[in-house]
Amino acid sequence: MNLSSLNVTVRRTTCYREIATSILASSVLLAGACEKPSFQAVVTPPPAEQNRTGQPTGGLQFKQRQIAFLNRIRDADPQNRVIDRAMLNEQNELGLILDRSVELNRIPDLMRTMLTQMAGEFPGQDLTVIAYTPSNPPRKVGTAYLDFRTKEMKYVPEY
């Protein structure tokens, strides 16, 4: 085994360990989200804070929850080994620019974890997570959806 193949093997092993660590951290966050919600957490926002599909679109408290959610994602992967950037748009769709080392076959599991996390933070909403390459401009590699009524998750690859 030459030095370059040893380096590749070490990098791959490190990457798998870091992905596993990120998934573990996400699972810990999920476990915290599994507590029985209080009555206030179940109450839907006033109609003035919803659009036609029932998705909240405004309000300081909602924006603060979005920021806190993004910070938890960033804290779970502080060295950006899996997720280079995470952002939420006005429709509360989560966009993830993934690190180059993330293998395509690992993306559906990552997306399912993110949808589960979002469902705990933003209950009663249809949710969307979109994964992108770290290219310039970013290229979409997959989209995951959660139907809050049926709890059905669906992943659509774009590659």
Side-chain angles (χ1 to χ4, degrees):
M1 180 179 275
N2 65 26
L3 186 57
S4 91
S5 64
L6 179 61
N7 286 339
V8 169
T9 303
V10 169
R11 272 187 261 135
R12 235 184 239 146
T13 303
T14 303
C15 178
Y16 289 133
R17 187 176 62 229
E18 289 164 353
I19 289 172
T21 302
S22 292
I23 290 173
L24 177 62
S26 297
S27 298
V28 170
L29 287 173
L30 174 63
C34 289
E35 294 178 21
K36 187 173 180 178
S38 67
F39 178 76
Q40 292 177 347
V42 180
V43 176
T44 58
E49 293 185 13
Q50 292 183 351
N51 63 20
R52 291 179 304 182
T53 62
Q55 303 282 348
T57 57
L60 182 60
Q61 184 181 23
F62 181 74
K63 295 287 185 198
Q64 289 172 338
R65 285 181 27 224
Q66 284 184 316
I67 291 168
F69 179 72
L70 288 172
N71 286 334
R72 281 197 306 274
I73 291 172
R74 293 174 184 134
D75 290 345
D77 187 18
Q79 296 177 337
N80 300 330
R81 302 289 178 143
V82 177
I83 299 170
D84 285 345
R85 290 183 56 201
M87 57 235 120
L88 284 162
N89 66 15
E90 290 182 11
Q91 290 77 40
N92 205 33
E93 296 172 326
L94 177 62
L96 301 173
I97 297 179
L98 303 178
D99 188 78
R100 293 184 194 289
S101 65
V102 177
E103 297 175 8
L104 289 177
N105 62 342
R106 301 281 185 194
I107 295 173
D109 290 336
L110 175 64
M111 303 289 265
R112 184 174 307 277
T113 300
M114 289 295 115
L115 280 174
T116 304
Q117 293 295 314
M118 284 185 75
E121 183 65 34
F122 307 105
Q125 297 180 39
D126 291 334
L127 300 170
T128 302
V129 178
I130 305 167
Y132 296 93
T133 63
S135 57
N136 190 9
R139 188 177 59 98
K140 188 188 303 185
V141 292
T143 306
Y145 303 96
L146 172 67
D147 182 326
F148 89 92
R149 289 171 195 82
T150 64
K151 305 295 185 226
E152 180 182 345
M153 290 186 195
K154 181 172 83 171
Y155 175 72
V156 180
E158 305 269 340
Y159 44 89

